[in-house]
Short mmCIF file of all heavy atoms in Angstrom, two decimals:
data_model
loop_
_atom_site.label_atom_id
_atom_site.label_comp_id
_atom_site.label_asym_id
_atom_site.label_seq_id
_atom_site.Cartn_x
_atom_site.Cartn_y
_atom_site.Cartn_z
N MET A 25 115.55 78.04 93.98
CA MET A 25 114.33 78.61 93.44
C MET A 25 114.28 78.28 91.95
O MET A 25 115.28 78.44 91.25
CB MET A 25 114.31 80.13 93.67
CG MET A 25 113.00 80.77 93.26
SD MET A 25 112.93 82.57 93.39
CE MET A 25 113.27 82.86 95.08
N PRO A 26 113.11 77.90 91.46
CA PRO A 26 113.00 77.60 90.03
C PRO A 26 113.17 78.86 89.17
O PRO A 26 113.07 79.98 89.64
CB PRO A 26 111.58 77.05 89.88
CG PRO A 26 110.98 76.99 91.21
CD PRO A 26 111.91 77.63 92.18
N LEU A 27 113.42 78.61 87.92
CA LEU A 27 113.66 79.71 86.98
C LEU A 27 112.45 80.64 86.89
O LEU A 27 112.63 81.86 86.79
CB LEU A 27 113.98 79.12 85.59
CG LEU A 27 114.25 80.15 84.49
CD1 LEU A 27 115.48 80.97 84.83
CD2 LEU A 27 114.44 79.45 83.17
N ILE A 28 111.24 80.10 86.96
CA ILE A 28 110.05 80.96 86.84
C ILE A 28 109.97 81.95 88.00
O ILE A 28 109.53 83.09 87.83
CB ILE A 28 108.77 80.09 86.72
CG1 ILE A 28 107.56 80.94 86.31
CG2 ILE A 28 108.48 79.38 88.02
CD1 ILE A 28 107.58 81.34 84.89
N GLY A 29 110.44 81.55 89.17
CA GLY A 29 110.46 82.45 90.32
C GLY A 29 111.38 83.63 90.09
O GLY A 29 111.03 84.78 90.39
N TRP A 30 112.56 83.36 89.57
CA TRP A 30 113.51 84.44 89.26
C TRP A 30 112.95 85.37 88.18
O TRP A 30 113.15 86.59 88.23
CB TRP A 30 114.85 83.87 88.83
CG TRP A 30 115.61 83.27 89.97
CD1 TRP A 30 115.85 81.96 90.18
CD2 TRP A 30 116.20 83.98 91.06
NE1 TRP A 30 116.56 81.80 91.33
CE2 TRP A 30 116.80 83.02 91.90
CE3 TRP A 30 116.28 85.32 91.41
CZ2 TRP A 30 117.47 83.36 93.07
CZ3 TRP A 30 116.96 85.66 92.59
CH2 TRP A 30 117.53 84.70 93.39
N LEU A 31 112.23 84.81 87.22
CA LEU A 31 111.64 85.65 86.17
C LEU A 31 110.57 86.57 86.75
O LEU A 31 110.49 87.74 86.37
CB LEU A 31 111.04 84.77 85.06
CG LEU A 31 112.05 84.06 84.17
CD1 LEU A 31 111.33 83.13 83.19
CD2 LEU A 31 112.90 85.06 83.43
N PHE A 32 109.76 86.05 87.68
CA PHE A 32 108.76 86.90 88.32
C PHE A 32 109.41 88.02 89.13
O PHE A 32 108.97 89.17 89.09
CB PHE A 32 107.83 86.08 89.22
CG PHE A 32 106.71 85.42 88.47
CD1 PHE A 32 106.56 84.04 88.54
CD2 PHE A 32 105.81 86.15 87.72
CE1 PHE A 32 105.53 83.42 87.85
CE2 PHE A 32 104.78 85.54 87.04
CZ PHE A 32 104.64 84.17 87.10
N ILE A 33 110.45 87.69 89.86
CA ILE A 33 111.15 88.71 90.65
C ILE A 33 111.76 89.76 89.74
O ILE A 33 111.67 90.97 90.00
CB ILE A 33 112.22 88.05 91.54
CG1 ILE A 33 111.54 87.24 92.65
CG2 ILE A 33 113.16 89.08 92.14
CD1 ILE A 33 112.49 86.40 93.47
N PHE A 34 112.39 89.32 88.65
CA PHE A 34 112.99 90.27 87.71
C PHE A 34 111.92 91.15 87.07
O PHE A 34 112.11 92.37 86.92
CB PHE A 34 113.77 89.50 86.63
CG PHE A 34 114.37 90.41 85.59
CD1 PHE A 34 115.47 91.18 85.89
CD2 PHE A 34 113.81 90.49 84.32
CE1 PHE A 34 116.02 92.03 84.94
CE2 PHE A 34 114.35 91.34 83.36
CZ PHE A 34 115.46 92.10 83.68
N ALA A 35 110.77 90.57 86.68
CA ALA A 35 109.69 91.34 86.06
C ALA A 35 109.14 92.38 87.03
O ALA A 35 108.89 93.53 86.65
CB ALA A 35 108.59 90.41 85.57
N ALA A 36 108.96 91.98 88.29
CA ALA A 36 108.45 92.92 89.28
C ALA A 36 109.44 94.06 89.50
O ALA A 36 109.06 95.24 89.57
CB ALA A 36 108.18 92.20 90.60
N PHE A 37 110.71 93.75 89.60
CA PHE A 37 111.74 94.77 89.78
C PHE A 37 111.78 95.71 88.57
O PHE A 37 111.86 96.94 88.73
CB PHE A 37 113.10 94.09 89.97
CG PHE A 37 114.21 95.05 90.23
CD1 PHE A 37 114.32 95.71 91.44
CD2 PHE A 37 115.17 95.31 89.25
CE1 PHE A 37 115.35 96.61 91.68
CE2 PHE A 37 116.19 96.20 89.48
CZ PHE A 37 116.29 96.85 90.70
N ALA A 38 111.69 95.17 87.37
CA ALA A 38 111.71 95.98 86.16
C ALA A 38 110.49 96.90 86.10
O ALA A 38 110.60 98.07 85.69
CB ALA A 38 111.76 95.09 84.92
N MET A 39 109.33 96.42 86.53
CA MET A 39 108.13 97.26 86.51
C MET A 39 108.25 98.40 87.52
O MET A 39 107.86 99.54 87.23
CB MET A 39 106.89 96.42 86.81
CG MET A 39 106.51 95.54 85.64
SD MET A 39 105.04 94.50 85.80
CE MET A 39 104.32 94.85 87.33
N VAL A 40 108.81 98.15 88.68
CA VAL A 40 108.99 99.20 89.68
C VAL A 40 109.97 100.26 89.17
O VAL A 40 109.70 101.46 89.25
CB VAL A 40 109.47 98.61 91.02
CG1 VAL A 40 109.92 99.70 91.97
CG2 VAL A 40 108.37 97.77 91.65
N VAL A 41 111.08 99.83 88.64
CA VAL A 41 112.08 100.77 88.12
C VAL A 41 111.51 101.56 86.95
O VAL A 41 111.67 102.79 86.86
CB VAL A 41 113.37 100.03 87.72
CG1 VAL A 41 114.33 100.95 86.97
CG2 VAL A 41 114.04 99.46 88.96
N GLY A 42 110.80 100.91 86.06
CA GLY A 42 110.19 101.60 84.92
C GLY A 42 109.16 102.62 85.36
O GLY A 42 109.11 103.74 84.83
N SER A 43 108.36 102.29 86.36
CA SER A 43 107.37 103.23 86.87
C SER A 43 108.04 104.44 87.49
O SER A 43 107.58 105.57 87.32
CB SER A 43 106.47 102.55 87.90
OG SER A 43 105.74 101.50 87.31
N LEU A 44 109.11 104.21 88.24
CA LEU A 44 109.83 105.33 88.85
C LEU A 44 110.44 106.24 87.80
O LEU A 44 110.44 107.47 87.94
CB LEU A 44 110.90 104.81 89.80
CG LEU A 44 110.39 104.19 91.10
CD1 LEU A 44 111.55 103.59 91.89
CD2 LEU A 44 109.65 105.21 91.93
N LEU A 45 110.96 105.66 86.74
CA LEU A 45 111.54 106.47 85.66
C LEU A 45 110.45 107.30 84.96
O LEU A 45 110.68 108.47 84.63
CB LEU A 45 112.27 105.59 84.66
CG LEU A 45 113.57 104.97 85.16
CD1 LEU A 45 114.13 104.00 84.14
CD2 LEU A 45 114.59 106.05 85.49
N LEU A 46 109.29 106.70 84.72
CA LEU A 46 108.19 107.45 84.12
C LEU A 46 107.72 108.58 85.02
O LEU A 46 107.44 109.69 84.57
CB LEU A 46 107.01 106.52 83.81
CG LEU A 46 107.13 105.67 82.56
CD1 LEU A 46 105.98 104.67 82.49
CD2 LEU A 46 107.12 106.56 81.33
N LEU A 47 107.66 108.31 86.31
CA LEU A 47 107.25 109.33 87.27
C LEU A 47 108.25 110.49 87.29
O LEU A 47 107.86 111.66 87.34
CB LEU A 47 107.11 108.71 88.65
CG LEU A 47 106.57 109.59 89.75
CD1 LEU A 47 105.15 110.04 89.41
CD2 LEU A 47 106.56 108.83 91.07
N ARG A 48 109.53 110.16 87.23
CA ARG A 48 110.56 111.20 87.21
C ARG A 48 110.45 112.06 85.95
O ARG A 48 110.58 113.28 86.00
CB ARG A 48 111.94 110.56 87.28
CG ARG A 48 113.06 111.58 87.37
CD ARG A 48 114.40 110.97 87.15
NE ARG A 48 114.46 110.51 85.76
CZ ARG A 48 115.52 109.95 85.22
NH1 ARG A 48 116.60 109.76 85.93
NH2 ARG A 48 115.49 109.57 83.96
N ASP A 49 110.20 111.41 84.81
CA ASP A 49 110.09 112.16 83.56
C ASP A 49 108.87 113.06 83.54
O ASP A 49 108.90 114.17 83.01
CB ASP A 49 110.05 111.20 82.37
CG ASP A 49 111.38 110.53 82.13
OD1 ASP A 49 112.40 111.02 82.67
OD2 ASP A 49 111.40 109.50 81.43
N SER A 50 107.78 112.61 84.11
CA SER A 50 106.55 113.40 84.08
C SER A 50 106.56 114.50 85.15
O SER A 50 105.71 115.38 85.13
CB SER A 50 105.32 112.51 84.27
OG SER A 50 105.32 111.96 85.57
N ALA A 51 107.51 114.48 86.06
CA ALA A 51 107.57 115.50 87.12
C ALA A 51 108.03 116.85 86.57
O ALA A 51 107.83 117.87 87.21
CB ALA A 51 108.49 115.05 88.23
N ASN A 52 108.62 116.88 85.42
CA ASN A 52 109.15 118.12 84.85
C ASN A 52 108.19 118.79 83.89
O ASN A 52 108.60 119.57 83.04
CB ASN A 52 110.48 117.84 84.15
CG ASN A 52 111.54 117.39 85.11
OD1 ASN A 52 111.54 117.81 86.25
ND2 ASN A 52 112.44 116.53 84.66
N MET A 53 106.90 118.52 84.03
CA MET A 53 105.93 119.14 83.13
C MET A 53 105.78 120.62 83.46
O MET A 53 105.74 121.00 84.63
CB MET A 53 104.56 118.46 83.27
CG MET A 53 104.54 117.07 82.72
SD MET A 53 102.98 116.20 82.87
CE MET A 53 101.80 117.41 83.24
N ASN A 54 105.72 121.44 82.44
CA ASN A 54 105.54 122.87 82.63
C ASN A 54 104.06 123.22 82.49
O ASN A 54 103.44 122.89 81.50
CB ASN A 54 106.35 123.66 81.60
CG ASN A 54 107.84 123.49 81.82
OD1 ASN A 54 108.26 123.33 82.95
ND2 ASN A 54 108.61 123.53 80.76
N ILE A 55 103.53 123.87 83.52
CA ILE A 55 102.13 124.28 83.49
C ILE A 55 102.09 125.73 83.03
O ILE A 55 102.82 126.58 83.56
CB ILE A 55 101.50 124.15 84.89
CG1 ILE A 55 101.57 122.70 85.35
CG2 ILE A 55 100.08 124.66 84.89
CD1 ILE A 55 101.09 122.48 86.77
N PRO A 56 101.25 126.05 82.06
CA PRO A 56 101.15 127.44 81.60
C PRO A 56 100.72 128.36 82.75
O PRO A 56 100.00 127.96 83.66
CB PRO A 56 100.07 127.39 80.52
CG PRO A 56 99.98 125.97 80.11
CD PRO A 56 100.38 125.16 81.29
N ARG A 57 101.17 129.61 82.68
CA ARG A 57 100.88 130.57 83.75
C ARG A 57 99.37 130.78 83.94
O ARG A 57 98.90 130.92 85.06
CB ARG A 57 101.54 131.91 83.45
CG ARG A 57 103.03 131.88 83.62
CD ARG A 57 103.61 133.29 83.50
NE ARG A 57 105.04 133.27 83.55
CZ ARG A 57 105.74 133.44 84.66
NH1 ARG A 57 105.11 133.61 85.79
NH2 ARG A 57 107.06 133.42 84.63
N GLU A 58 98.61 130.81 82.84
CA GLU A 58 97.17 131.04 82.95
C GLU A 58 96.51 129.90 83.73
O GLU A 58 95.68 130.13 84.60
CB GLU A 58 96.52 131.14 81.57
CG GLU A 58 97.07 132.27 80.71
CD GLU A 58 98.31 131.86 79.94
OE1 GLU A 58 98.47 130.67 79.65
OE2 GLU A 58 99.12 132.76 79.66
N LYS A 59 96.90 128.69 83.42
CA LYS A 59 96.32 127.53 84.10
C LYS A 59 96.74 127.52 85.57
O LYS A 59 95.95 127.19 86.44
CB LYS A 59 96.75 126.25 83.41
CG LYS A 59 95.98 125.04 83.83
CD LYS A 59 96.24 123.87 82.92
CE LYS A 59 95.31 122.73 83.24
NZ LYS A 59 95.52 121.59 82.37
N LEU A 60 97.98 127.89 85.84
CA LEU A 60 98.47 127.93 87.21
C LEU A 60 97.69 128.98 88.02
O LEU A 60 97.35 128.74 89.18
CB LEU A 60 99.96 128.25 87.21
CG LEU A 60 100.73 128.05 88.50
CD1 LEU A 60 100.58 126.62 89.00
CD2 LEU A 60 102.19 128.38 88.31
N GLU A 61 97.40 130.12 87.41
CA GLU A 61 96.61 131.15 88.09
C GLU A 61 95.20 130.66 88.39
O GLU A 61 94.65 130.93 89.45
CB GLU A 61 96.55 132.43 87.26
CG GLU A 61 97.75 133.31 87.43
CD GLU A 61 97.96 133.76 88.86
OE1 GLU A 61 96.97 134.14 89.52
OE2 GLU A 61 99.10 133.71 89.33
N LYS A 62 94.59 129.94 87.43
CA LYS A 62 93.25 129.39 87.67
C LYS A 62 93.27 128.39 88.82
O LYS A 62 92.35 128.37 89.65
CB LYS A 62 92.73 128.70 86.40
CG LYS A 62 92.32 129.66 85.31
CD LYS A 62 91.79 128.90 84.11
CE LYS A 62 91.44 129.84 82.97
NZ LYS A 62 90.95 129.10 81.80
N ILE A 63 94.31 127.58 88.89
CA ILE A 63 94.43 126.60 89.97
C ILE A 63 94.55 127.32 91.31
O ILE A 63 93.88 126.96 92.28
CB ILE A 63 95.65 125.68 89.74
CG1 ILE A 63 95.41 124.79 88.52
CG2 ILE A 63 95.95 124.85 90.97
CD1 ILE A 63 96.62 124.02 88.07
N ARG A 64 95.36 128.35 91.36
CA ARG A 64 95.52 129.11 92.61
C ARG A 64 94.22 129.80 93.01
O ARG A 64 93.87 129.84 94.19
CB ARG A 64 96.64 130.13 92.46
CG ARG A 64 98.00 129.50 92.42
CD ARG A 64 99.10 130.53 92.30
NE ARG A 64 100.40 129.88 92.26
CZ ARG A 64 101.44 130.35 91.59
NH1 ARG A 64 101.34 131.47 90.91
NH2 ARG A 64 102.58 129.70 91.61
N GLN A 65 93.50 130.33 92.03
CA GLN A 65 92.23 131.00 92.32
C GLN A 65 91.22 130.00 92.88
O GLN A 65 90.53 130.29 93.85
CB GLN A 65 91.68 131.66 91.05
CG GLN A 65 90.42 132.44 91.25
CD GLN A 65 90.63 133.64 92.14
OE1 GLN A 65 91.70 134.24 92.15
NE2 GLN A 65 89.62 133.99 92.90
N ARG A 66 91.12 128.82 92.27
CA ARG A 66 90.18 127.81 92.76
C ARG A 66 90.56 127.34 94.16
O ARG A 66 89.70 127.08 95.00
CB ARG A 66 90.15 126.61 91.81
CG ARG A 66 89.32 126.87 90.58
CD ARG A 66 89.17 125.62 89.79
NE ARG A 66 90.48 125.22 89.28
CZ ARG A 66 90.70 124.66 88.11
NH1 ARG A 66 89.70 124.40 87.32
NH2 ARG A 66 91.90 124.34 87.73
N LYS A 67 91.86 127.27 94.42
CA LYS A 67 92.32 126.86 95.76
C LYS A 67 91.89 127.91 96.79
O LYS A 67 91.42 127.55 97.88
CB LYS A 67 93.83 126.69 95.76
CG LYS A 67 94.39 126.21 97.08
CD LYS A 67 95.89 126.03 97.02
CE LYS A 67 96.42 125.63 98.39
NZ LYS A 67 97.87 125.54 98.40
N LYS A 68 92.07 129.19 96.47
CA LYS A 68 91.64 130.25 97.39
C LYS A 68 90.15 130.18 97.64
O LYS A 68 89.69 130.33 98.77
CB LYS A 68 92.03 131.62 96.83
CG LYS A 68 93.49 131.92 96.91
CD LYS A 68 93.79 133.29 96.33
CE LYS A 68 95.26 133.57 96.28
NZ LYS A 68 95.57 134.87 95.66
N GLU A 69 89.38 129.97 96.57
CA GLU A 69 87.93 129.90 96.71
C GLU A 69 87.52 128.70 97.57
O GLU A 69 86.63 128.81 98.41
CB GLU A 69 87.26 129.81 95.34
CG GLU A 69 87.37 131.08 94.54
CD GLU A 69 86.87 130.93 93.12
OE1 GLU A 69 86.42 129.82 92.76
OE2 GLU A 69 86.94 131.92 92.36
N ALA A 70 88.19 127.57 97.38
CA ALA A 70 87.88 126.37 98.16
C ALA A 70 88.23 126.57 99.63
O ALA A 70 87.47 126.17 100.52
CB ALA A 70 88.63 125.17 97.60
N GLU A 71 89.35 127.22 99.90
CA GLU A 71 89.74 127.49 101.29
C GLU A 71 88.76 128.46 101.93
O GLU A 71 88.39 128.29 103.10
CB GLU A 71 91.16 128.05 101.35
CG GLU A 71 92.22 127.01 101.05
CD GLU A 71 93.62 127.59 100.97
OE1 GLU A 71 93.76 128.84 101.01
OE2 GLU A 71 94.57 126.80 100.88
N LYS A 72 88.31 129.47 101.19
CA LYS A 72 87.34 130.41 101.71
C LYS A 72 86.03 129.70 102.02
O LYS A 72 85.41 129.93 103.07
CB LYS A 72 87.11 131.53 100.70
CG LYS A 72 86.20 132.62 101.18
CD LYS A 72 86.05 133.71 100.13
CE LYS A 72 85.09 134.77 100.60
NZ LYS A 72 84.89 135.82 99.60
N GLN A 73 85.61 128.82 101.13
CA GLN A 73 84.37 128.06 101.34
C GLN A 73 84.50 127.15 102.57
O GLN A 73 83.57 127.03 103.35
CB GLN A 73 84.05 127.23 100.10
CG GLN A 73 82.74 126.49 100.19
CD GLN A 73 81.55 127.44 100.17
OE1 GLN A 73 81.60 128.50 99.57
NE2 GLN A 73 80.50 127.06 100.84
N ASP A 74 85.66 126.53 102.74
CA ASP A 74 85.89 125.68 103.91
C ASP A 74 85.81 126.48 105.20
O ASP A 74 85.25 126.02 106.20
CB ASP A 74 87.25 124.98 103.81
CG ASP A 74 87.27 123.88 102.77
OD1 ASP A 74 86.17 123.44 102.36
OD2 ASP A 74 88.38 123.47 102.37
N GLN A 75 86.38 127.68 105.19
CA GLN A 75 86.32 128.52 106.38
C GLN A 75 84.89 128.92 106.69
O GLN A 75 84.47 128.95 107.85
CB GLN A 75 87.20 129.76 106.20
CG GLN A 75 88.68 129.47 106.26
CD GLN A 75 89.52 130.70 106.01
OE1 GLN A 75 89.00 131.76 105.66
NE2 GLN A 75 90.83 130.57 106.15
N GLU A 76 84.11 129.24 105.67
CA GLU A 76 82.70 129.59 105.88
C GLU A 76 81.92 128.40 106.42
O GLU A 76 81.07 128.55 107.29
CB GLU A 76 82.09 130.10 104.59
CG GLU A 76 82.61 131.44 104.14
CD GLU A 76 82.06 131.85 102.78
OE1 GLU A 76 81.27 131.09 102.19
OE2 GLU A 76 82.45 132.93 102.32
N ASP A 77 82.21 127.21 105.92
CA ASP A 77 81.52 126.00 106.38
C ASP A 77 81.87 125.68 107.83
O ASP A 77 81.04 125.17 108.58
CB ASP A 77 81.86 124.82 105.48
CG ASP A 77 81.24 124.93 104.10
OD1 ASP A 77 80.32 125.77 103.94
OD2 ASP A 77 81.67 124.21 103.19
N GLU A 78 83.09 125.97 108.24
CA GLU A 78 83.52 125.68 109.61
C GLU A 78 82.83 126.61 110.61
O GLU A 78 82.66 126.25 111.77
CB GLU A 78 85.03 125.80 109.75
CG GLU A 78 85.79 124.67 109.11
CD GLU A 78 87.29 124.83 109.22
OE1 GLU A 78 87.74 125.81 109.85
OE2 GLU A 78 88.02 124.00 108.67
N GLN A 79 82.43 127.78 110.20
CA GLN A 79 81.78 128.73 111.10
C GLN A 79 80.40 128.25 111.48
O GLN A 79 79.88 128.59 112.53
CB GLN A 79 81.70 130.12 110.46
CG GLN A 79 83.07 130.78 110.33
CD GLN A 79 82.98 132.13 109.65
OE1 GLN A 79 81.90 132.54 109.22
NE2 GLN A 79 84.09 132.80 109.54
N TRP A 80 79.76 127.44 110.71
CA TRP A 80 78.44 126.93 111.03
C TRP A 80 78.60 125.84 112.00
O TRP A 80 78.08 125.23 112.66
CB TRP A 80 77.74 126.43 109.77
CG TRP A 80 77.32 127.57 108.90
CD1 TRP A 80 78.01 128.08 107.86
CD2 TRP A 80 76.14 128.35 109.01
NE1 TRP A 80 77.36 129.13 107.30
CE2 TRP A 80 76.18 129.32 108.01
CE3 TRP A 80 75.06 128.35 109.87
CZ2 TRP A 80 75.19 130.25 107.82
CZ3 TRP A 80 74.07 129.28 109.68
CH2 TRP A 80 74.15 130.22 108.67
#
């Protein structure tokens, strides 16, 4: 395989590993309690709306 092929393979591998590392770092984000409560409230409202829509 020519050198350019190995460079493309290495670049692709480096991009995958770098993306996984970024994803791992961003997984530890702390959400404030107020925002988390708003998210839970909207989820309950959406589920309630879905149940009402299914009855029709």
